[in-house]
Amino acid sequence: MFLTEADVRAELTYEGLIPAIRQALMDYSAALVEQPARMMLRAGNAEGHNNGWFAVMPVIAGDVMAVKTVTFYPGNDELGLHTHMAIVELLRRSTGEPLAVMDGRLITEMRTAAVSAVALDVLGGTDVRSLGILGSGVQARSHLRAFGMVRPGLKDIRIWSRTADNAKRLAAETGARAVTIEEAAAADVVLTVTSAGTPILQGRWLAPHALVIAVGATGATMRELDDEVMRTSFIVAECKAAAERESGDVRMSGVKVDAEVGAVAAGSTAAPQGRRIVFKSVGMAIEDLTAARLVWQSRASESK
Ligand code: NDP
């Protein structure tokens, strides 16, 4: 069975995805998931080829197995193509038979926002009012929708983007305000969703109680956050080993990851209250498997 992006869109909702991702992150931190490090190849290292990455992400959990292949080409923007594209294959664990192959672009978009929504729910106070977003692309949009599900009280939404017109456009579409980077960074919750390779967010702009949800800079030499952000915060990740291996913000600032979000959600690890926290997301195959399984189950129940 091949499912297109339109098929995936018809089945996947944040209402279903966010609780499923929460459970998946708890299962991951309880060692119930078999997931090796992703394999990441540089695609753009030959003459005449664009700058890009090609990653392969296998995982086994519960009654299924999955593998996602995903590409990230920052320059695709100028070609009118998506910067991230992916395919997910889902297999039955008991027999190895393929259950479905599906387009993974929307899955990547939605599961990433769902992970951040779980982090916001688990790590953010119930009284957070302001959200500053750095970036105005696909992830900025998906996060706005997912965050609304867990913190509907986030009404003061401030958007900064490298290209000011993009921030203005997203702000106009969503009832937010386009602001300076300093104003966005002073919010209760600060979301970084850019393709920047060097730090854009400075620690001196943050409130002492800020929750920073850092989604971009997925690569060992890429950064969105400066050393002050990292060194003055309690650091949470989906997986300690993955963040310490794959996040330039973690590696290059020299900090250690203090906790996994799944362990905090399960109550087996505590996160501090009223202190600055950084949730550094790098993305995991279990998140793609979880979304793909929901799509497949929903599709299978319709054909009965
Ligand atoms: P898009 O291509 O849709 O948007 C990219 C955004 O980054 C735009 O707002 C752009 O600003 C901004 N940007 C690009 N270069 C720079 C720069 N040098 N400095 C500041 N801003 C810059 O990408 P997505 O929204 O899909 O992805 C955003 C980030 O999230 C990427 O780094 C991506 O790799 C990462 N990601 C992480 C995942 C995870 O699991 N953690 C999963 C998926 C994506 P403008 O257009 O205004 O110029």
Side-chain angles (χ1 to χ4, degrees):
M1 183 195 312
F2 181 78
L3 301 176
T4 65
E5 179 166 329
D7 297 329
V8 172
R9 193 179 296 280
E11 309 298 341
L12 205 54
T13 64
Y14 285 114
E15 286 87 344
L17 185 57
I18 292 171
I21 288 284
R22 187 185 181 106
Q23 186 60 52
L25 292 168
M26 290 195 291
D27 289 350
Y28 182 80
S29 293
L32 298 174
V33 174
E34 197 172 325
Q35 179 187 276
R38 93 180 93 201
M39 191 184 287
M40 191 111 67
L41 307 176
R42 278 305 291 265
N45 50 5
E47 201 182 327
H49 293 264
N50 288 334
N51 178 22
W53 284 263
F54 173 50
V56 182
M57 303 166 67
V59 60
I60 302 177
D63 54 355
V64 291
M65 312 188 280
V67 60
K68 177 166 93 165
T69 58
V70 57
T71 56
F72 172 43
Y73 280 66
N76 274 4
D77 228 8
E78 288 154 28
L79 305 174
L81 294 171
H82 282 292
T83 50
H84 295 76
M85 291 184 265
I87 294 284
V88 182
E89 181 184 356
L90 192 70
L91 308 103
R92 193 187 305 282
R93 186 175 184 176
S94 57
T95 58
E97 69 196 285
L99 297 170
V101 177
M102 57 190 85
D103 193 282
R105 197 211 63 78
L106 184 64
I107 285 178
T108 305
E109 174 185 325
M110 291 181 68
R111 66 73 152 148
T112 305
V115 169
S116 297
V118 171
L120 172 58
D121 199 26
V122 168
L123 304 169
T126 48
D127 55 348
V128 289
R129 292 281 170 269
S130 52
L131 167 65
I133 303 181
L134 310 190
S136 59
V138 167
Q139 288 298 336
R141 285 181 159 74
S142 61
H143 277 73
L144 271 170
R145 284 192 285 275
F147 281 5
M149 309 283 308
V150 296
R151 286 293 182 280
L154 272 177
K155 297 285 185 212
D156 172 7
I157 302 192
R158 313 166 187 183
I159 300 174
W160 171 87
S161 200
R162 178 184 61 172
T163 309
D165 281 350
N166 290 341
K168 285 184 194 148
R169 190 174 313 119
L170 181 58
E173 279 170 27
T174 56
R177 288 186 294 133
V179 298
T180 62
I181 193 166
E182 291 87 347
E183 195 177 346
D188 298 328
V189 180
V190 181
L191 171 69
T192 61
V193 274
T194 74
S195 300
T198 52
I200 48 161
L201 180 63
Q202 298 188 21
R204 65 194 170 92
W205 297 331
L206 292 172
H209 66 278
L211 168 62
V212 177
I213 299 183
V215 173
T218 43
T221 58
M222 296 180 75
R223 298 195 65 173
E224 278 185 310
L225 317 178
D226 77 358
D227 282 349
E228 187 175 333
V229 177
M230 297 304 288
R231 292 180 187 162
T232 59
S233 303
F234 183 85
I235 309 293
V236 183
E238 298 140 298
C239 159
K240 284 187 183 184
E244 289 173 1
R245 185 176 58 239
E246 297 176 5
S247 162
D249 285 318
V250 171
R251 291 172 67 95
M252 294 162 84
S253 64
V255 301
K256 289 280 169 222
V257 175
D258 296 299
E260 290 185 352
V261 67
V264 180
S268 55
T269 301
Q273 307 262 316
R275 215 197 118 177
R276 195 176 286 168
I277 298 178
V278 167
F279 172 67
K280 178 60 209 147
S281 145
V282 294
M284 300 201 294
I286 182 61
E287 299 155 6
D288 300 300
L289 176 150
T290 301
R293 180 166 45 197
L294 282 178
V295 170
W296 175 71
Q297 284 171 338
S298 168
R299 196 66 186 204
S301 70
E302 282 163 15
S303 58
K304 272 185 190 155

